[in-house]
């Protein structure tokens, strides 16, 4: 059986988690985006819409739940498309729920609400896409700053290739904003199926913490 057809479970999954790439992503005090692009065997591509690399994302979610680590995730549906404006707000809502005790009246809360209102106003229009994305990035930066410097937060996005094709790059840019603008250590894991992935892996998505 081709390696592209084997499920990433059991010994194969363990071997992957022992790889230098995975260990680098898990290294403490290092904010990083880990992009996994899986390719199914061409002879089987018509038989399944699932990506073998998705098992890595599911395994990571299961592990984070077991150790009660703070994380947010979004699994895009394989039979339809999702919008950037579905994925990012859902992730941000999950992150805010982790900080409910810190959402009381404060200057930080006022800043967040102000950015959300600005985003909603721009989102109501149809001809301001660039400003809409920029405003969303500002909300992302405001939310991630609820996490303190000593904290590590994980964000997992499975099947980013199922995002609208013209929004895939913007989605990755938003996730990069999340990683770069927080005081905390942000670990972002992204899984894509090569057949639907419209952009190449980008370099320079790693930020060391002081």
């Amino acid at each position: 059986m081709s390696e592209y057809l084997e499920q990433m479970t059991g010994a194969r999954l363990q071997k992957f988690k022992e790889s230098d790439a995975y260990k680098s992503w898990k290294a403490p005090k290092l904010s990083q985006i880990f992009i996994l692009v899986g390719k199914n065997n061409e002879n089987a591509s018509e038989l399944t819409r699932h990506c073998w690399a998705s098992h890595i994302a599911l395994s990571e979610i299961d592990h984070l739940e077991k150790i009660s680590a703070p994380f947010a995730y979004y699994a895009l549906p394989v039979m339809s498309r999702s919008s950037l404006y579905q994925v990012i707000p859902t992730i941000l809502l999950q992150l805010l729920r982790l900080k409910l005790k810190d959402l009381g009246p404060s200057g930080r809360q006022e800043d967040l609400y102000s950015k959300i209102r600005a985003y909603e106003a721009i989102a109501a229009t149809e001809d301001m896409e660039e400003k809409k994305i920029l405003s969303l990035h500002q909300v992302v930066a405001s939310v991630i700053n609820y996490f303190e410097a000593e904290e590590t937060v994980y964000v997992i996005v499975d099947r980013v290739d199922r995002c609208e094709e013209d929004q895939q790059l913007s989605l990755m840019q938003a996730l990069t904003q999340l990683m770069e603008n927080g005081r905390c250590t942000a670990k972002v894991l992204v899984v894509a199926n090569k057949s639907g992935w419209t952009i190449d892996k980008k370099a320079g998505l790693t930020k060391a913490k002081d």
Side-chain angles (χ1 to χ4, degrees):
M1 179 179 288
S2 166
E3 65 176 357
Y4 296 122
L5 288 175
E6 293 182 39
Q7 291 187 345
M8 183 62 75
T9 56
R12 280 203 51 156
L13 180 59
Q14 184 58 36
K15 183 178 180 180
F16 171 81
K17 290 188 174 183
E18 293 172 356
S19 67
D20 290 341
Y22 180 80
K23 288 180 178 179
S24 174
W25 177 67
K26 296 289 283 190
K29 303 300 181 183
L30 184 68
S31 288
Q32 197 169 182
I33 289 183
F34 192 6
I35 305 173
L36 292 173
V37 181
K39 179 183 177 182
N40 289 337
N41 185 286
E42 293 181 0
N43 294 328
S45 61
E46 296 300 322
L47 302 179
T48 178
R49 293 179 180 269
H50 298 281
C51 178
W52 61 265
S54 291
H55 288 278
I56 297 169
L58 296 175
S59 172
E60 195 64 32
I61 290 170
D62 182 60
H63 173 69
L64 294 172
E65 286 181 333
K66 287 179 179 177
I67 65 174
S68 299
F71 74 95
Y73 75 95
Y74 196 102
L76 283 76
V78 299
M79 299 299 290
S80 61
R81 292 281 183 180
S82 291
S83 165
L84 160 72
Y85 306 110
Q86 294 171 294
V87 178
I88 294 299
T90 301
I91 289 172
L92 296 182
L93 181 59
Q94 291 179 48
L95 293 176
L96 285 173
R97 284 175 174 167
L98 296 171
K99 289 295 182 179
L100 285 177
K101 63 181 177 62
D102 299 323
L103 292 179
S106 67
R108 188 161 55 179
Q109 183 197 57
E110 292 176 5
D111 175 70
L112 173 61
Y113 285 2
S114 174
K115 288 185 167 95
I116 290 175
R117 287 192 294 268
Y119 169 71
E120 289 176 337
I122 295 173
T125 66
E126 296 183 357
D127 57 350
M128 303 176 67
E129 188 68 14
E130 289 187 9
K131 289 186 177 179
K132 185 176 177 181
I133 292 173
L134 178 60
S135 182
L136 182 60
H137 286 179
Q138 293 173 343
V139 177
V140 168
S142 186
V143 169
I144 198 60
N145 271 303
Y146 271 90
F147 293 86
E148 303 297 335
E150 65 274 13
E151 294 184 277
T152 297
V153 61
Y154 292 82
V155 174
I156 299 172
V157 186
D158 185 30
R159 294 304 300 273
V160 291
D161 57 289
R162 300 309 300 165
C163 181
E164 298 290 351
E165 288 189 1
D166 62 348
Q167 295 179 354
Q168 289 181 12
L169 180 57
S170 295
L171 173 56
M172 292 303 302
Q173 290 171 338
L175 293 172
T176 303
Q177 287 287 321
L178 185 149
M179 180 196 70
E180 291 183 339
N181 288 305
R183 295 170 294 171
C184 67
T185 299
K187 303 284 190 181
V188 182
L189 174 62
V190 172
V191 173
N193 192 353
K194 185 175 179 61
S195 64
W197 188 231
T198 61
I199 62 174
D200 293 328
K201 290 187 289 186
K202 302 296 179 180
L205 296 180
T206 301
K207 180 183 70 169
K209 291 287 185 179
D210 297 328

